[in-house]
Amino acid sequence: MSVAEQTADAVVVGGGTVGAWCAYFLRQAGLARVVLIEKGLLGQGASSRAAGVVRMQGGTQEAVRLGQWSRRFYLGQRDEIGTDSGFTEQGYLLPCFTEAEVAAAHTRMEMQIALGVPVQWLGPRDVDAANPTLAPGQTLGGTFCAQDGFIAPPRNVAAYTVALLRSGVEVRERVAFLGLTGDDTASGSTVETSQGRIGAGLVVLTGGPKLAAVGRLAGLRIPAGGVRHQVAVTERHHDLDPAWVPMVFDLAAGLYWRPEEGGLLFGMSNPDEPPSENREVDEGYLAKMRARLAALVPVTAGLGLRRVWAATIDYTPDHLPIIGRAPGRDRVTVASAGGAGMMWGPGVARAAADVALTGSSEVLDVSPLGLDRFDEAGHSRLATDPIALPFPERIASS
Ligand SMILES: Cc1cc2nc3c(=O)[nH]c(=O)nc-3n(C[C@H](O)[C@H](O)[C@H](O)COP(=O)(O)OP(=O)(O)OC[C@H]3O[C@@H](n4cnc5c(N)ncnc54)[C@H](O)[C@@H]3O)c2cc1C
């Protein structure tokens, strides 16, 4: 159907978890006509390919608040929309292997506890007891939050599809965003799409790993990138019963795992991987992932893999989200979950909707998180989130 010369109160670009939940929240806030444009199909970007880890144990106050908000949202979805993203409260352990990691973990815990996260310190023996599949005697202890967990990413796509349709957002799949004009005026902008123009009061730009390209189409420089990330799922084993296996993030190695259908789902980012779109499995790096996992969870050494995939994950140079109005353009808002869209996505989406509507949000103080924190070269004035995958700290072109 042609969308030529239509009008909308808001147009949201991108049908991933950030754009879709944002469109839903804009509609819930009372906008009569919200249009979501997606150049392919809902969820076909990073959002359907993720591992689903949701953690409140963030490395910064912003990360904690977004994790808390998103987890609460996941828990309340069934009442709100009649379905859910499959949030499972599994418990998440972040083990420490050096004294420096122990010190950093204690500092982080103080900040997290002050914000209301029920995180606790487990000594080395408690770590081994809490996770009998972990090779014993490996850690110096670790932080544990029983309320952290994971969602099922394809189920999240299904949940937001239901929410969009039930709330009356107009979903336009296979419609590409091509550009934006008139967005420096007070009356709104014209969104150019592959199926004509839409006059829009408000515009929200998302795009996950493609956000920089979406920004360029709108005349904006957005320092966001994409890089390959691999995930695999082992065969089943009785020792990997979900009742005994918390999720674990081996932060120094960038390796995480969680239970999945009687086996383990594990993912790891290669810190030496240059930014690019890439969905080919890197067998050499997969072997490294398997070796690190087998050293920590010996039972996995003899297990085959049931699934392996690689996909492009979004990141920002400081590994923090982008939530803010485009500089000098009050009616254009930019949103990125910075590679943590399962953990932070609904919170980022809600904050972006709030910012689009009012300029601020009760989810968190977004004032440090706008595009104005980056210099010309894409360097951020904020410190890098210390609890993140080992993402690149530069975008491809800088
Ligand atoms: C393998 C993998 C594992 C991950 N694991 C986790 C995890 O465990 N926990 C976690 O928190 N996060 C995880 N992530 C990150 C998370 O998936 C992303 O942060 C999140 O999905 C980003 O959502 P998004 O809506 O911003 O982007 P996307 O889901 O990529 O959606 C953006 C959409 O914009 C569309 N688009 C792009 N350009 C245009 C255009 N010009 N016009 C119209 N539409 C356009 C795309 O087609 C796409 O559908 C993982 C990611 C990957 C790849």
Side-chain angles (χ1 to χ4, degrees):
M1 186 206 293
S2 170
V3 292
E5 304 305 341
Q6 296 185 353
T7 58
D9 298 304
V11 172
V12 179
V13 176
T17 198
V18 175
W21 287 121
C22 180
Y24 167 73
F25 293 134
L26 286 169
R27 181 79 186 95
Q28 290 302 99
L31 293 193
R33 183 133 193 255
V34 179
V35 176
L36 174 70
I37 59 172
E38 160 57 52
K39 73 173 182 176
L41 302 173
L42 291 179
Q44 77 165 33
S47 292
S48 59
R49 306 172 202 278
V53 171
V54 176
R55 123 177 100 67
M56 293 187 290
Q57 291 182 75
T60 67
Q61 295 201 6
E62 290 81 9
V64 171
R65 289 193 199 287
L66 287 168
Q68 288 174 311
W69 200 95
S70 299
R71 176 184 170 279
R72 264 199 309 277
F73 175 72
Y74 289 134
L75 287 171
Q77 280 175 315
R78 185 153 284 279
D79 288 341
E80 186 171 333
I81 57 172
T83 185
D84 60 59
S85 302
F87 180 77
T88 302
E89 199 170 84
Q90 188 68 30
Y92 204 8
L93 171 72
L94 274 67
C96 299
F97 299 96
T98 65
E99 291 296 349
E101 287 171 20
V102 171
H106 277 99
T107 307
R108 240 178 16 241
M109 269 181 64
E110 269 178 43
M111 177 270 289
Q112 293 162 348
I113 288 169
L115 292 174
V117 179
V119 58
Q120 58 183 130
W121 176 255
L122 300 184
R125 283 199 191 140
D126 293 336
V127 164
D128 293 345
N131 192 345
T133 58
L134 200 63
Q138 300 272 320
T139 81
L140 299 178
T143 63
F144 180 74
C145 177
Q147 292 184 0
D148 284 340
F150 60 92
I151 60 165
R155 194 172 165 84
N156 179 50
V157 175
Y160 68 61
T161 304
V162 168
L164 290 168
L165 298 179
R166 277 183 56 167
S167 67
V169 171
E170 294 180 33
V171 177
R172 309 283 185 174
E173 292 185 309
R174 299 192 176 89
V175 174
F177 171 70
L178 299 180
L180 200 55
T181 51
D183 50 307
D184 47 358
T185 65
S187 55
S189 3
T190 301
V191 177
E192 311 278 349
T193 83
S194 54
Q195 289 194 25
R197 297 186 168 132
I198 312 174
L202 300 172
V203 176
V204 179
L205 302 176
T206 78
K210 295 187 187 297
L211 180 59
V214 168
R216 275 193 296 278
L217 291 168
L220 293 171
R221 211 187 148 286
I222 304 178
V227 64
R228 173 164 55 180
H229 182 65
Q230 287 192 166
V231 180
V233 181
T234 73
E235 289 173 330
R236 305 165 76 89
H237 190 281
H238 55 81
D239 286 357
L240 299 177
D241 186 309
W244 307 328
V245 185
M247 298 152 62
V248 180
F249 189 10
D250 169 11
L251 181 62
L255 172 73
Y256 59 87
W257 65 88
R258 66 166 175 83
E260 172 81 350
E261 297 170 348
L264 281 194
L265 178 153
F266 61 105
M268 186 163 162
S269 269
N270 179 352
D272 301 323
E273 176 102 29
S276 74
E277 289 274 316
N278 197 332
R279 290 192 24 214
E280 302 300 315
V281 171
D282 176 346
E283 295 288 349
Y285 200 71
L286 180 63
K288 285 191 182 169
M289 293 166 63
R290 296 216 62 185
R292 179 68 185 163
L293 183 68
L296 291 172
V297 189
V299 69
T300 62
L303 296 180
L305 298 180
R306 283 187 295 167
R307 282 190 278 147
V308 183
W309 70 97
T312 310
I313 191 167
D314 46 316
Y315 71 91
T316 57
D318 55 15
H319 311 165
L320 291 165
I322 298 172
I323 309 166
R325 291 180 174 174
R329 292 145 119 176
D330 279 356
R331 292 170 168 272
V332 181
T333 299
V334 177
S336 162
M342 304 296 109
M343 184 155 84
W344 299 337
V348 169
R350 174 57 191 270
D354 292 346
V355 167
L357 291 165
T358 69
S360 65
S361 174
E362 287 184 3
V363 175
L364 79 169
D365 174 11
V366 296
S367 52
L369 298 175
L371 286 174
D372 57 357
R373 74 181 190 262
F374 300 106
D375 68 15
E376 288 275 299
H379 298 130
S380 171
R381 65 165 176 259
L382 301 182
T384 301
D385 183 349
I387 311 292
L389 291 170
F391 291 131
E393 295 195 7
R394 319 192 63 165
I395 50 171
S397 57
S398 65

Short mmCIF file of all heavy atoms in Angstrom, two decimals, residues 13-19 37-41 44-47 49-53 175-177 207-210 214 217 229 231 256 309 311-314 337 339-343, ligand 1:
data_model
loop_
_atom_site.label_atom_id
_atom_site.label_comp_id
_atom_site.label_asym_id
_atom_site.label_seq_id
_atom_site.Cartn_x
_atom_site.Cartn_y
_atom_site.Cartn_z
N VAL A 13 11.24 4.97 12.93
CA VAL A 13 12.00 4.21 11.93
C VAL A 13 12.65 3.01 12.61
O VAL A 13 13.37 3.16 13.60
CB VAL A 13 13.10 5.09 11.30
CG1 VAL A 13 13.96 4.28 10.33
CG2 VAL A 13 12.47 6.29 10.59
N GLY A 14 12.39 1.80 12.07
CA GLY A 14 13.05 0.59 12.57
C GLY A 14 12.14 -0.27 13.41
O GLY A 14 11.63 0.17 14.43
N GLY A 15 11.93 -1.51 12.97
CA GLY A 15 11.02 -2.43 13.67
C GLY A 15 11.74 -3.45 14.53
O GLY A 15 11.32 -4.60 14.63
N GLY A 16 12.84 -3.02 15.16
CA GLY A 16 13.47 -3.86 16.18
C GLY A 16 12.86 -3.58 17.54
O GLY A 16 11.85 -2.86 17.65
N THR A 17 13.47 -4.11 18.58
CA THR A 17 12.86 -3.98 19.90
C THR A 17 12.79 -2.52 20.35
O THR A 17 11.84 -2.12 21.02
CB THR A 17 13.60 -4.88 20.93
OG1 THR A 17 12.78 -5.08 22.06
CG2 THR A 17 14.97 -4.31 21.34
N VAL A 18 13.77 -1.69 19.96
CA VAL A 18 13.76 -0.29 20.41
C VAL A 18 12.67 0.49 19.67
O VAL A 18 11.83 1.16 20.30
CB VAL A 18 15.15 0.35 20.22
CG1 VAL A 18 15.10 1.84 20.56
CG2 VAL A 18 16.19 -0.36 21.09
N GLY A 19 12.65 0.39 18.34
CA GLY A 19 11.66 1.15 17.57
C GLY A 19 10.24 0.68 17.86
O GLY A 19 9.32 1.50 18.00
N ILE A 37 7.88 2.40 10.44
CA ILE A 37 8.35 1.90 9.15
C ILE A 37 9.58 1.02 9.34
O ILE A 37 10.49 1.34 10.10
CB ILE A 37 8.61 3.03 8.12
CG1 ILE A 37 9.65 4.03 8.62
CG2 ILE A 37 7.32 3.73 7.75
CD1 ILE A 37 10.04 5.03 7.53
N GLU A 38 9.55 -0.12 8.69
CA GLU A 38 10.62 -1.12 8.79
C GLU A 38 10.97 -1.55 7.37
O GLU A 38 10.10 -1.96 6.62
CB GLU A 38 10.11 -2.31 9.63
CG GLU A 38 10.88 -3.60 9.46
CD GLU A 38 12.38 -3.48 9.76
OE1 GLU A 38 12.75 -2.97 10.83
OE2 GLU A 38 13.18 -3.90 8.87
N LYS A 39 12.24 -1.45 7.03
CA LYS A 39 12.59 -1.70 5.62
C LYS A 39 12.48 -3.18 5.26
O LYS A 39 12.33 -3.52 4.09
CB LYS A 39 13.98 -1.20 5.32
CG LYS A 39 15.07 -2.00 5.90
CD LYS A 39 16.40 -1.51 5.38
CE LYS A 39 17.47 -2.41 5.97
NZ LYS A 39 18.78 -2.16 5.52
N GLY A 40 12.53 -4.05 6.25
CA GLY A 40 12.34 -5.48 6.00
C GLY A 40 11.12 -5.97 6.75
O GLY A 40 10.01 -5.52 6.48
N LEU A 41 11.37 -6.89 7.67
CA LEU A 41 10.29 -7.44 8.48
C LEU A 41 10.57 -7.15 9.95
O LEU A 41 11.74 -7.06 10.35
CB LEU A 41 10.18 -8.96 8.28
CG LEU A 41 9.94 -9.40 6.83
CD1 LEU A 41 10.02 -10.93 6.72
CD2 LEU A 41 8.58 -8.90 6.35
N GLN A 44 13.80 -8.44 12.13
CA GLN A 44 14.80 -9.15 11.34
C GLN A 44 16.22 -8.59 11.53
O GLN A 44 17.18 -9.16 11.00
CB GLN A 44 14.45 -9.15 9.86
CG GLN A 44 14.72 -7.82 9.17
CD GLN A 44 14.70 -7.96 7.66
OE1 GLN A 44 13.95 -8.76 7.11
NE2 GLN A 44 15.52 -7.18 6.99
N GLY A 45 16.38 -7.52 12.27
CA GLY A 45 17.72 -7.02 12.58
C GLY A 45 18.32 -7.81 13.74
O GLY A 45 18.19 -9.03 13.79
N ALA A 46 18.93 -7.11 14.66
CA ALA A 46 19.58 -7.79 15.80
C ALA A 46 18.54 -8.43 16.73
O ALA A 46 18.83 -9.43 17.39
CB ALA A 46 20.43 -6.80 16.58
N SER A 47 17.33 -7.87 16.76
CA SER A 47 16.42 -8.20 17.86
C SER A 47 15.96 -9.66 17.90
O SER A 47 15.65 -10.17 18.98
CB SER A 47 15.21 -7.26 17.85
OG SER A 47 15.64 -5.96 18.19
N ARG A 49 17.87 -12.14 16.95
CA ARG A 49 19.06 -13.01 16.92
C ARG A 49 19.85 -12.97 18.22
O ARG A 49 20.93 -13.55 18.32
CB ARG A 49 19.99 -12.58 15.78
CG ARG A 49 19.28 -12.54 14.43
CD ARG A 49 20.14 -11.93 13.34
NE ARG A 49 19.31 -11.44 12.25
CZ ARG A 49 18.84 -12.20 11.27
NH1 ARG A 49 19.15 -13.47 11.22
NH2 ARG A 49 18.06 -11.69 10.34
N ALA A 50 19.32 -12.25 19.20
CA ALA A 50 20.07 -12.01 20.43
C ALA A 50 20.06 -13.23 21.34
O ALA A 50 19.35 -14.22 21.11
CB ALA A 50 19.48 -10.80 21.15
N ALA A 51 20.87 -13.13 22.41
CA ALA A 51 20.93 -14.20 23.41
C ALA A 51 19.90 -13.98 24.52
O ALA A 51 19.56 -14.92 25.24
CB ALA A 51 22.33 -14.26 24.01
N GLY A 52 19.44 -12.76 24.67
CA GLY A 52 18.32 -12.50 25.57
C GLY A 52 18.67 -12.16 27.01
O GLY A 52 17.78 -12.04 27.85
N VAL A 53 19.96 -11.98 27.30
CA VAL A 53 20.37 -11.75 28.69
C VAL A 53 19.85 -10.40 29.20
O VAL A 53 20.00 -9.38 28.54
CB VAL A 53 21.91 -11.79 28.80
CG1 VAL A 53 22.37 -11.33 30.17
CG2 VAL A 53 22.41 -13.20 28.49
N VAL A 175 9.02 -1.08 4.04
CA VAL A 175 9.04 0.34 3.68
C VAL A 175 10.32 0.94 4.28
O VAL A 175 10.51 0.92 5.49
CB VAL A 175 7.80 1.08 4.24
CG1 VAL A 175 7.91 2.58 3.98
CG2 VAL A 175 6.52 0.53 3.62
N ALA A 176 11.19 1.41 3.40
CA ALA A 176 12.49 1.93 3.86
C ALA A 176 12.42 3.43 4.10
O ALA A 176 11.79 4.17 3.33
CB ALA A 176 13.57 1.61 2.84
N PHE A 177 13.09 3.85 5.15
CA PHE A 177 13.30 5.28 5.41
C PHE A 177 14.39 5.77 4.45
O PHE A 177 15.46 5.17 4.35
CB PHE A 177 13.76 5.43 6.87
CG PHE A 177 14.23 6.81 7.23
CD1 PHE A 177 13.33 7.86 7.32
CD2 PHE A 177 15.57 7.06 7.51
CE1 PHE A 177 13.75 9.13 7.68
CE2 PHE A 177 16.00 8.32 7.87
CZ PHE A 177 15.09 9.37 7.95
N GLY A 207 17.63 1.88 14.52
CA GLY A 207 18.24 1.13 13.40
C GLY A 207 19.24 0.10 13.87
O GLY A 207 19.82 -0.62 13.06
N GLY A 208 19.46 0.03 15.20
CA GLY A 208 20.39 -0.96 15.73
C GLY A 208 21.74 -0.82 15.05
O GLY A 208 22.32 0.27 15.00
N PRO A 209 22.28 -1.92 14.48
CA PRO A 209 23.60 -1.84 13.85
C PRO A 209 23.63 -0.92 12.64
O PRO A 209 24.70 -0.55 12.17
CB PRO A 209 23.87 -3.29 13.41
CG PRO A 209 22.85 -4.14 14.08
CD PRO A 209 21.70 -3.27 14.47
N LYS A 210 22.46 -0.54 12.13
CA LYS A 210 22.39 0.34 10.96
C LYS A 210 22.01 1.77 11.33
O LYS A 210 21.66 2.58 10.46
CB LYS A 210 21.39 -0.21 9.95
CG LYS A 210 21.80 -1.54 9.35
CD LYS A 210 20.84 -1.92 8.25
CE LYS A 210 21.09 -3.32 7.73
NZ LYS A 210 22.39 -3.49 7.11
N VAL A 214 21.01 5.14 9.04
CA VAL A 214 19.72 5.82 9.18
C VAL A 214 19.97 7.30 9.48
O VAL A 214 19.34 8.19 8.89
CB VAL A 214 18.87 5.15 10.30
CG1 VAL A 214 17.66 6.01 10.67
CG2 VAL A 214 18.43 3.75 9.88
N LEU A 217 20.97 9.29 6.44
CA LEU A 217 19.82 9.61 5.58
C LEU A 217 19.06 10.83 6.12
O LEU A 217 18.39 11.54 5.36
CB LEU A 217 18.87 8.41 5.50
CG LEU A 217 19.41 7.20 4.73
CD1 LEU A 217 18.52 5.97 4.97
CD2 LEU A 217 19.50 7.50 3.23
N HIS A 229 28.91 -10.91 16.25
CA HIS A 229 28.87 -11.54 17.57
C HIS A 229 28.32 -12.96 17.37
O HIS A 229 27.39 -13.16 16.60
CB HIS A 229 27.96 -10.73 18.50
CG HIS A 229 27.88 -11.30 19.89
ND1 HIS A 229 28.97 -11.35 20.73
CD2 HIS A 229 26.85 -11.84 20.60
CE1 HIS A 229 28.61 -11.90 21.88
NE2 HIS A 229 27.32 -12.21 21.82
N VAL A 231 26.96 -16.80 18.80
CA VAL A 231 26.26 -17.50 19.88
C VAL A 231 26.13 -18.96 19.47
O VAL A 231 25.97 -19.27 18.28
CB VAL A 231 24.85 -16.89 20.10
CG1 VAL A 231 24.12 -17.60 21.22
CG2 VAL A 231 24.94 -15.39 20.42
N TYR A 256 29.71 -15.28 28.01
CA TYR A 256 28.57 -15.46 28.92
C TYR A 256 27.84 -16.73 28.54
O TYR A 256 27.96 -17.22 27.41
CB TYR A 256 27.61 -14.24 28.84
CG TYR A 256 27.06 -14.01 27.44
CD1 TYR A 256 25.91 -14.66 27.00
CD2 TYR A 256 27.73 -13.18 26.55
CE1 TYR A 256 25.43 -14.47 25.72
CE2 TYR A 256 27.26 -12.99 25.27
CZ TYR A 256 26.10 -13.64 24.85
OH TYR A 256 25.65 -13.47 23.57
N TRP A 309 25.10 -19.47 15.58
CA TRP A 309 24.83 -18.38 14.65
C TRP A 309 25.70 -17.18 14.94
O TRP A 309 26.23 -17.04 16.05
CB TRP A 309 23.34 -18.01 14.64
CG TRP A 309 22.80 -17.34 15.86
CD1 TRP A 309 22.63 -16.00 16.07
CD2 TRP A 309 22.30 -17.98 17.05
NE1 TRP A 309 22.07 -15.77 17.30
CE2 TRP A 309 21.86 -16.96 17.93
CE3 TRP A 309 22.17 -19.31 17.46
CZ2 TRP A 309 21.31 -17.23 19.18
CZ3 TRP A 309 21.63 -19.58 18.72
CH2 TRP A 309 21.21 -18.55 19.55
N ALA A 311 25.72 -12.89 14.14
CA ALA A 311 24.88 -11.77 13.70
C ALA A 311 25.59 -10.48 14.04
O ALA A 311 26.55 -10.47 14.82
CB ALA A 311 23.50 -11.83 14.37
N THR A 312 25.11 -9.40 13.45
CA THR A 312 25.74 -8.11 13.70
C THR A 312 25.08 -7.47 14.92
O THR A 312 23.86 -7.27 14.94
CB THR A 312 25.58 -7.18 12.48
OG1 THR A 312 26.00 -7.91 11.33
CG2 THR A 312 26.44 -5.93 12.63
N ILE A 313 25.90 -7.18 15.91
CA ILE A 313 25.39 -6.54 17.13
C ILE A 313 25.71 -5.05 17.06
O ILE A 313 26.74 -4.64 16.52
CB ILE A 313 25.99 -7.20 18.40
CG1 ILE A 313 25.28 -6.74 19.67
CG2 ILE A 313 27.48 -6.94 18.52
CD1 ILE A 313 25.61 -7.59 20.91
N ASP A 314 24.80 -4.25 17.56
CA ASP A 314 24.99 -2.80 17.60
C ASP A 314 25.93 -2.43 18.75
O ASP A 314 26.01 -3.15 19.75
CB ASP A 314 23.63 -2.11 17.79
CG ASP A 314 22.78 -2.77 18.89
OD1 ASP A 314 22.72 -4.02 18.93
OD2 ASP A 314 22.20 -2.04 19.73
N ALA A 337 20.22 1.15 21.87
CA ALA A 337 20.47 0.44 23.13
C ALA A 337 21.94 0.07 23.28
O ALA A 337 22.30 -0.62 24.25
CB ALA A 337 19.59 -0.79 23.23
N GLY A 339 23.93 -2.09 22.03
CA GLY A 339 24.31 -3.51 22.12
C GLY A 339 23.70 -4.24 23.29
O GLY A 339 24.07 -5.38 23.57
N ALA A 340 22.76 -3.61 23.97
CA ALA A 340 22.13 -4.25 25.13
C ALA A 340 20.61 -4.12 25.05
O ALA A 340 19.93 -3.83 26.03
CB ALA A 340 22.65 -3.64 26.42
N GLY A 341 20.08 -4.35 23.87
CA GLY A 341 18.66 -4.08 23.62
C GLY A 341 17.70 -5.08 24.25
O GLY A 341 16.50 -4.81 24.33
N MET A 342 18.20 -6.23 24.70
CA MET A 342 17.33 -7.14 25.44
C MET A 342 17.25 -6.67 26.89
O MET A 342 16.20 -6.64 27.50
CB MET A 342 17.86 -8.58 25.37
CG MET A 342 18.05 -9.10 23.97
SD MET A 342 16.50 -9.23 23.02
CE MET A 342 16.68 -7.89 21.85
N MET A 343 18.41 -6.26 27.38
CA MET A 343 18.56 -5.84 28.77
C MET A 343 17.97 -4.46 29.01
O MET A 343 17.34 -4.20 30.02
CB MET A 343 20.08 -5.80 28.99
CG MET A 343 20.57 -5.51 30.32
SD MET A 343 22.20 -6.24 30.40
CE MET A 343 23.24 -5.00 29.67
C1 LIG B 1 24.08 -12.42 18.44
C2 LIG B 1 23.54 -11.32 19.32
C3 LIG B 1 23.37 -11.56 20.69
C4 LIG B 1 22.87 -10.54 21.51
N1 LIG B 1 22.62 -10.81 22.81
C5 LIG B 1 22.13 -9.85 23.63
C6 LIG B 1 21.84 -10.13 24.99
O1 LIG B 1 22.01 -11.25 25.48
N2 LIG B 1 21.35 -9.12 25.77
C7 LIG B 1 21.15 -7.87 25.27
O2 LIG B 1 20.73 -6.98 26.01
N3 LIG B 1 21.38 -7.58 23.97
C8 LIG B 1 21.87 -8.54 23.15
N4 LIG B 1 22.11 -8.25 21.83
C9 LIG B 1 21.90 -6.89 21.35
C10 LIG B 1 20.44 -6.64 21.01
O3 LIG B 1 19.97 -7.65 20.17
C11 LIG B 1 20.34 -5.28 20.31
O4 LIG B 1 20.88 -4.28 21.13
C12 LIG B 1 18.89 -4.91 19.98
O5 LIG B 1 18.26 -5.94 19.28
C13 LIG B 1 18.88 -3.64 19.16
O6 LIG B 1 17.55 -3.33 18.86
P1 LIG B 1 17.21 -2.22 17.78
O7 LIG B 1 15.76 -2.15 17.70
O8 LIG B 1 17.97 -0.98 18.11
O9 LIG B 1 17.90 -2.79 16.45
P2 LIG B 1 17.41 -3.92 15.43
O10 LIG B 1 16.76 -5.05 16.12
O11 LIG B 1 18.60 -4.24 14.57
O12 LIG B 1 16.30 -3.20 14.60
C14 LIG B 1 16.59 -2.14 13.72
C15 LIG B 1 15.66 -2.25 12.55
O13 LIG B 1 15.81 -1.09 11.73
C16 LIG B 1 15.59 -1.51 10.42
N5 LIG B 1 16.16 -0.50 9.51
C17 LIG B 1 17.47 -0.24 9.28
N6 LIG B 1 17.58 0.72 8.35
C18 LIG B 1 16.32 1.09 7.99
C19 LIG B 1 15.79 2.02 7.06
N7 LIG B 1 16.57 2.79 6.31
N8 LIG B 1 14.44 2.11 6.95
C20 LIG B 1 13.61 1.34 7.72
N9 LIG B 1 14.08 0.43 8.59
C21 LIG B 1 15.41 0.30 8.74
C22 LIG B 1 16.29 -2.85 10.33
O14 LIG B 1 15.82 -3.61 9.24
C23 LIG B 1 15.96 -3.46 11.68
O15 LIG B 1 14.83 -4.30 11.65
C24 LIG B 1 22.58 -9.27 20.97
C25 LIG B 1 22.74 -9.04 19.60
C26 LIG B 1 23.22 -10.04 18.78
C27 LIG B 1 23.38 -9.79 17.31
#
